[in-house]
Amino acid sequence: MNAVALAGLGLISPLGPTPGAFWHGLLHGRRAFGEHGCPQGDFRSRVVAAVPPGDCTAPAGRRKEALATAAARQALAAAGLTGLPDGSLLVLVSQAPALGTTAGEQDDDFAGPPPEALLAACRADARRTHVVHLSHACASAAYAAAFARDWLLSGLGGTALIVGASALNRYEYASMDVVRTLSPHGARPFDADRDGITVGEGAGAAVLETAGSARARGHRPEAWLTGAACVVDTSESVASAPAAVLDCMRAALDDAGTRRVDYVHAHATGTVQGDAAEAEAVAGLAAALGHGPLPVSSHKGAIGHLLHASAFPGLVAAAGFLREARVPGTPGLRRPAPLPDGVLALDRPRRAATAGHVLVNSFGFGGNNASLVLSAAGGRPTSPYEETA
């Protein structure tokens, strides 16, 4: 069995401080852009952003640390754990590793939260915890999930925690601005009038566990991570290439041992090129599998793009779909762009006839592509999401 348990999830997003708040807001089509605002005179006042409630005037490093530690605690609690067990794996995702042991000692622009803060928040023994940092652009969290799954299946341990956070900062703002990907109006994935991405703030975490470890604790997971594929394709420096995206999705399904897909949670950020490339790849997948139109949606019209941490909202949405058989819509999608046969981009939620397998896509600059397959756990998870914030 190549599956590992998705034992618990944590998420702080502009829709609220829990995975349940995000799922509830996503189902109701909420768009959090500009709801909480940022101080005038700061560079953040010049860009449409999605910021969670709280002090957005604090340095980015401190915000990342606060968000990441809160998400980690949520994921552990959802997994029924009071702390990270000895011998576990901790995977941090960000632009670069923390340069100091506290947020005040690191470069606030792009460094990730210091591992010491995460270890303390998780009540983990630093001497008995394996710590890894991964950076694969905006596919980093999905790469981390694939890495942690391989680590668990290799018999190196029973539990892994992946954590990442995004906080709007000058460095990442400039990196998006220079390639002209930022929308002046707010992201609208798959919309005919889409004009770029919205940068969001937030953090996510996921506890992965071997089947044996979950069984020994009597814990029913949110879902099973049954397949994963990571494909680095250098044919395109910025936009994903449709052929590489298709190869990535097919490889993930092959790894999961299934040809069934009930829903695709798209990476779709709201750029003209990126959304079109992914839609073309999904159409190719539908044709290859002999499917009718595959339902597709994206969360980035609700909370923006969490960059390195962007796969975490995708995992929450996928788990919600598997649990409730409800396909979320894409907030902000008003006038769907023409899409190839085989792709059904949803502007609002709908019931699914079956909810057994879902693909979660995550792509990044430099040809970083990742696809994850989540499969239904059966029954209700031990720690279902709250319905509201």
Side-chain angles (χ1 to χ4, degrees):
M1 182 180 183
N2 288 329
V4 298
L6 181 58
L9 288 164
L11 185 68
I12 293 93
S13 80
L15 291 178
T18 64
F22 166 78
W23 177 243
H24 181 78
L26 189 63
L27 290 179
H28 287 79
R30 285 187 55 202
R31 281 164 62 82
F33 304 158
E35 285 194 358
H36 307 293
C38 283
Q40 295 299 312
D42 187 272
F43 78 98
R44 286 171 288 181
S45 67
R46 302 196 300 272
V47 60
V48 178
V51 183
D55 183 11
C56 70
T57 64
R62 292 195 180 95
R63 298 202 309 278
K64 287 180 185 178
E65 181 177 322
L67 291 166
T69 53
R73 291 191 186 102
Q74 284 182 7
L76 288 170
L81 296 170
T82 58
L84 199 57
D86 286 350
S88 296
L89 172 69
L90 172 62
V91 186
L92 301 175
V93 297
S94 66
Q95 180 77 4
L99 303 178
T101 59
T102 67
E105 295 174 348
Q106 65 186 354
D107 188 326
D108 284 342
D109 274 352
F110 61 90
E116 291 79 6
L118 270 300
L119 291 166
C122 298
R123 299 180 180 178
D125 187 335
R127 299 166 300 176
R128 296 181 173 86
T129 305
H130 308 280
V131 180
V132 171
H133 180 273
L134 285 183
S135 183
H136 282 272
C138 297
S140 294
Y143 270 74
F147 176 84
R149 173 174 171 264
D150 286 347
W151 187 87
L152 292 166
L153 293 176
S154 297
L156 295 172
T159 307
L161 172 67
I162 59 175
V163 187
S166 174
L168 188 62
N169 59 78
R170 288 176 175 81
Y171 175 87
E172 288 173 332
Y173 166 76
S175 71
M176 294 293 173
D177 190 43
V178 74
V179 292
R180 300 183 179 180
T181 62
L182 293 171
S183 168
H185 307 107
R188 297 184 180 279
F190 298 119
D191 194 274
D193 298 320
R194 65 191 187 276
D195 58 2
I197 76 169
T198 297
V199 181
E201 289 200 13
V207 174
L208 300 178
E209 195 173 24
T210 62
S213 179
R215 192 181 307 116
R217 297 192 302 114
H219 183 76
R220 184 179 295 119
E222 301 271 9
W224 294 100
L225 177 55
T226 53
C230 299
V231 175
V232 177
D233 173 74
T234 58
S235 62
E236 300 285 345
S237 61
V238 178
S240 296
V245 172
L246 176 57
D247 287 347
C248 195
M249 291 189 293
R250 293 185 69 169
L253 290 170
D254 288 345
D255 187 42
T258 183
R259 291 177 57 83
R260 174 181 165 190
V261 183
D262 299 304
Y263 164 52
V264 178
H265 190 82
H267 179 71
T269 62
T271 65
V272 173
Q273 301 93 331
D275 290 9
E278 190 170 8
E280 182 180 338
V282 171
L285 180 68
L289 299 180
H291 272 275
L294 285 172
V296 176
S297 66
S298 168
H299 66 265
K300 294 182 180 71
I303 67 169
H305 192 350
L306 298 190
L307 306 179
H308 292 76
S310 65
F312 291 112
L315 291 174
V316 173
F321 164 75
L322 294 171
R323 186 184 64 253
E324 300 180 17
R326 297 174 75 186
V327 183
T330 300
L333 177 53
R334 299 176 301 186
R335 191 166 68 92
L339 295 171
D341 293 341
V343 183
L344 179 61
L346 299 181
D347 61 345
R348 63 191 66 188
R350 68 168 53 185
R351 289 286 177 183
T354 57
H357 303 280
V358 55
L359 268 168
V360 178
N361 285 338
S362 194
F363 311 131
F365 287 173
N368 287 286
N369 303 296
S371 294
L372 306 174
V373 180
L374 267 62
S375 302
R380 290 187 63 82
T382 302
S383 301
Y385 302 153
E386 302 168 4
E387 282 299 315
T388 59

